[in-house]
Structure formats: C-alpha cells, structure tokens
Amino acid sequence: MLTPLFVVPLLLPFLLGPAANRVMAWARPATALWILTAGALALALASVVSLGALSLTGLLLVPAFARMGHLVHPLCTPSPPMVVGAAVVSSGTLALGAFALGRAAVRHGRSLRAAHRQAASLPMAGDLCVVHSPHPDAYALPGSPNRIVVTTSMLRLLGAPEREVLFAHERAHNAGRHHYFLAVAEFAAHCHPALRAVRGVIRLAAERAADEAAARILGDRKLVARAVARAALAGQNGGESMRPHLAPGATSGPVPRRVAALLAPPSRSALRPRSLALVVAVAVSLSMGVAVTGLAHMSHEVGEARGTVAR
C-alpha cells in the first residue's frame, strides 16, 4: 500500500522557502550559506527518493516488471488506479527533472570551459585576468589556479579603493569555494520546484559572505557598500553578462539588500555554532529519515506480499 511517508518529503521543501529568509536574518552569511545549502540538498535527495519509491510502487503492479529477476509479485493494494496514477506522475516528474538537470549541466559546463579558455589565452597578473570588453563585469572563476576575471570597462568605472573591494570580494568567493554551493543549489532547484526560491537565497548568502569578508579585510563597510553598488549598477546598465552561471560575482544578487546589510551594524548569530550544527543535523536527519523510512516500509510490504503469494 502507498504510505504517507512518501508524500511528506515532497511537502517539506515548501517550508524551506519561507524559512530561508529568516535564516538569513538571524545567522551570519557564511553560516546561513551552509545551513541553506545542506537543507536544500537533503530535501532534494529526499524528494528524489520519494518520487522513485512512488514510481517503483506503481511498476510493481506490472506483471512483466514484477517477474524480472524473480523480484517480487505485484503489490496488493486496495486502490490500484491511485497507485498507477501516482507512479505515472512521479515517473514523469523524475524524467522531466533529469532532462532539465542534464541540459543545465551541459550548458553550465560549456560556459565554464569557455571562460577558462578565454582566461588561459590572456596574460595574468597574479590571480587577476583582465578581459577587454565594453561590458562592465567581474566574477570569481574557480579552477586550478583560481582566477578573478574582470573587464576593462569595470576597471575604468571604479576608483582604486573600489577595485580593491572588488578583488577582495572575488577572492573571498574562491577561498570559500562558493561555486560548489551554487552548484548544489542548482541541483536542488531541478529536483523540486519549491527549492528554486531557495536557490536565489543561497546565491544571496554567498554574495553576503563575500561582502562581509571584503569588509573585514578592508575595514570599511561603507566603502564596500559603495563599491558593490557602483559595480552592480554598471553591470546592469552595460548589457548582457558573459559570466558563467555558476561563477559568483560582486554584481549579482539583490544589490539593495546587500548594500543595506553592509551599512547596518554587523549582525551576530542568535545561536552558537554548535546549536546551528545541531539544527542542520536535525533538519537533514528528518528529511532523509522520512524518505528512507518510507522505502523501508515499502520493502516490508513487498516482503509480506511475496510471502502471501508463496503460501
């Protein structure tokens, strides 16, 4: 029989979206980045597991599939049409999600490779790579070695102190490996539509973490706020960016919110690190535990059905 445990992991992601902004409000940006990314990944995996279980439950009603490898006999259920309907919807959702995720992976991979080829063809000044372009842009390009890509137009629009802010911001992205967080957020958004809103908050958390790192290095929050605002305004008015989607940059995210946070006093986390780690562990355990429990329950029902048929 279908168990409600399969449905719970599909509903939990709808709770993370409204909670994401609250996490950003009471946690430090770097801490919020970890909490939101871990939560989004756990809920995404739990959703995939639940959809797979629902699909398998329906497939077990097909005799041809049930006989393959002498696995199990078709499950006995009081409402086969409901099981088949849920399986069809789940299978279609998994297929569409996998197709969209594959397309996104190919697209992002191509853009990253193109950016690496462009950076490799230009002279380097330390980790800085200057691209001749009329479009003001700057971003952190992960790789070996990590690079900071900035266009000549962006450099002309910023003063010397603001350039230092820009470079410190992008170096913080590379040092924090923020591209991995953005990749996880992209994966989660393709696993469950409710996690698309969380993807934007994760990107904001990455930008806020880099803003705070730049403010600590330079010791002037107002300077960082001014540099972020000028760089973002120039990037928005300069045409389409060629930046890879998974490469974080100072001009992305809700800039007014970032500037307001920089001009406000530095926020302190309301919870201690150990408490935050406990919150993350509980959230991850809950979402994954529900999905795994559902699978275990289904396996138990399959075993009982097989035993009944054998007798």
Side-chain angles (χ1 to χ4, degrees):
M1 294 175 59
L2 285 173
T3 169
L5 290 177
F6 292 154
V7 181
V8 173
L10 301 178
L11 299 178
L12 288 177
F14 291 99
L15 302 178
L16 184 59
N21 287 317
R22 292 183 176 272
V23 172
M24 284 293 299
W26 57 256
R28 293 185 179 94
T31 304
L33 180 62
W34 277 98
I35 291 176
L36 294 176
T37 306
L41 178 61
L43 292 174
L45 293 177
S47 298
V48 171
V49 170
S50 295
L51 288 173
L54 288 171
S55 300
L56 180 60
T57 304
L59 288 174
L60 291 175
L61 293 175
V62 180
F65 181 83
R67 288 197 302 267
M68 289 179 58
H70 305 287
L71 294 174
V72 291
H73 288 276
L75 283 175
C76 299
T77 174
S79 182
M82 183 181 68
V83 177
V84 173
V88 170
V89 172
S90 300
S91 300
T93 302
L94 284 174
L96 289 175
F99 177 73
L101 180 61
R103 287 188 61 185
V106 171
R107 183 173 66 254
H108 297 329
R110 286 176 178 173
S111 64
L112 281 172
R113 287 193 297 270
H116 278 289
R117 285 195 300 268
Q118 181 186 47
S121 66
L122 297 171
M124 298 283 296
D127 61 348
L128 183 62
C129 176
V130 179
V131 178
H132 292 278
S133 171
H135 173 66
D137 201 4
Y139 58 89
L141 183 62
S144 183
N146 294 324
R147 291 183 171 95
I148 298 172
V149 179
V150 60
T151 64
T152 52
S153 179
M154 178 65 80
L155 292 177
R156 284 195 298 266
L157 290 172
L158 300 180
E162 294 166 339
R163 293 175 196 163
E164 291 302 318
V165 171
L166 188 70
F167 300 155
H169 179 100
E170 305 305 348
R171 289 191 179 102
H173 278 313
N174 281 329
R177 305 291 183 181
H178 290 167
H179 57 285
Y180 287 127
F181 295 91
L182 300 185
V184 170
E186 190 72 17
F187 167 78
H190 283 85
C191 292
H192 197 292
L195 296 176
R196 293 173 185 172
V198 182
R199 174 177 55 185
V201 183
I202 290 175
R203 181 171 286 274
L204 170 62
E207 295 303 328
R208 285 284 300 115
D211 289 341
E212 292 296 331
R216 287 194 301 270
I217 293 171
L218 298 174
D220 190 340
R221 298 180 67 84
K222 291 183 178 179
L223 172 62
V224 175
R226 185 172 68 249
V228 167
R230 291 193 62 182
L233 182 62
Q236 291 174 0
N237 296 333
E240 185 179 357
S241 173
M242 298 301 293
R243 178 197 318 159
H245 183 72
L246 297 182
T251 61
S252 62
V255 176
R257 185 172 174 182
R258 292 170 54 196
V259 172
L262 285 165
L263 295 178
S267 62
R268 296 185 178 275
S269 176
L271 298 178
R272 295 181 178 180
R274 291 183 179 179
S275 300
L276 291 172
L278 179 61
V279 171
V280 175
V282 170
V284 171
S285 301
L286 175 64
S287 56
M288 292 302 297
V290 168
V292 172
T293 302
L295 273 179
H297 185 62
M298 187 191 75
S299 300
H300 177 70
E301 289 180 344
V302 168
E304 287 185 348
R306 183 172 54 183
T308 300
V309 173
R311 288 194 296 268

